[in-house]
Amino acid sequence: MKSRKRRRTIVVLSALAFVGGFFALANGAILHSAADRTYNHIRYLPRHHVAIVLGCSPTLGKDPNPCFESRADRAAELYWAGKVDYLLVSGDNSRVDYDEPTAMEAALMQRQIPQKDIIKDYAGFRTLDSMVRAHKVFGLNKASVVTDDFHMPRALFCAKEAGLKADGFPSHVEDGHLTASSRAREVFARGQAVIDEVLHVGPKFLGKREAIP
């Protein structure tokens, strides 16, 4: 009985060690691969025709979401510096009462971005979906990417695997506005991104081609 329990304990601990090792390796690889493609200073960021602005919820409860506002600020900075011609806002619109792309469009227009230079992707349900659709639906081969600094490495990894040459221009939110669970989820999400690549997981919805001028 004791030997059986011991064997079970060894199996469980071995499984946990394997899983932990996998996530550590996945995170290390993704962080390393993004390091030379992330630009905190706009002066050094390469110019691209289009920037992909990844969506998130515009509010947290009744309060504005700092991540959403920071992404909008960063995207506007990119546009007004002449580093891009168009902003492709990609996010979740899976429900009638939830529309990340339209919310981001409104936020960008408040920052004086012309509506004609904002393109909306309503089927960016996940980072993977946004990047695959940017390449296959909107025809991009290279682009800038705007998202939170802690999310950027995974975004650039997904972009590369989707066939996009992407450079990141990350937004920054003070740690006090981010919960520990938000950063912890990102650690697991990076591991999931590697699994998705190995299993050749595609986007939830692809759709027909939409040209960007």
Side-chain angles (χ1 to χ4, degrees), residues 168-179:
F169 189 51
S171 57
H172 302 278
V173 174
E174 294 180 11
D175 283 342
H177 292 294
L178 296 171
T179 63

Side-chain angles (χ1 to χ4, degrees), residues 42-151:
I42 199 165
R43 175 181 177 183
Y44 304 109
L45 180 73
R47 191 186 190 286
H48 291 297
H49 185 50
V50 178
I52 303 165
V53 186
L54 297 176
C56 61
S57 175
T59 58
L60 293 176
K62 295 182 179 180
D63 299 319
N65 182 352
C67 291
F68 176 89
E69 297 296 331
S70 183
R71 293 185 196 190
D73 287 341
R74 207 65 161 158
E77 181 182 355
L78 196 61
Y79 179 88
W80 289 119
K83 289 289 186 173
V84 295
D85 303 307
Y86 292 93
L87 298 172
L88 173 61
V89 294
S90 181
D92 186 351
N93 180 214
S94 56
R95 306 192 315 265
V96 175
D97 61 341
Y98 187 77
D99 187 346
E100 290 178 355
T102 299
M104 181 58 74
E105 178 189 51
L108 291 171
M109 290 174 66
Q110 288 177 354
R111 291 160 174 80
Q112 310 306 313
I113 308 297
Q115 188 175 24
K116 66 180 181 62
D117 293 338
I118 304 170
I119 297 119
K120 289 177 286 187
D121 174 14
Y122 294 102
F125 305 117
R126 295 198 302 156
T127 307
L128 179 151
D129 298 55
S130 294
M131 296 309 177
V132 173
R133 283 175 54 79
H135 179 54
K136 293 189 174 181
V137 174
F138 294 95
L140 300 182
N141 292 314
K142 55 185 180 179
S144 297
V145 175
V146 175
T147 190
D148 306 306
D149 52 0
F150 66 91
H151 178 217

Side-chain angles (χ1 to χ4, degrees), residues 8-30:
R8 192 182 309 135
T9 301
I10 292 173
V11 169
V12 170
L13 290 175
S14 298
L16 289 174
F18 174 80
V19 171
F22 165 76
F23 277 97
L25 286 172
N27 273 263
I30 287 177

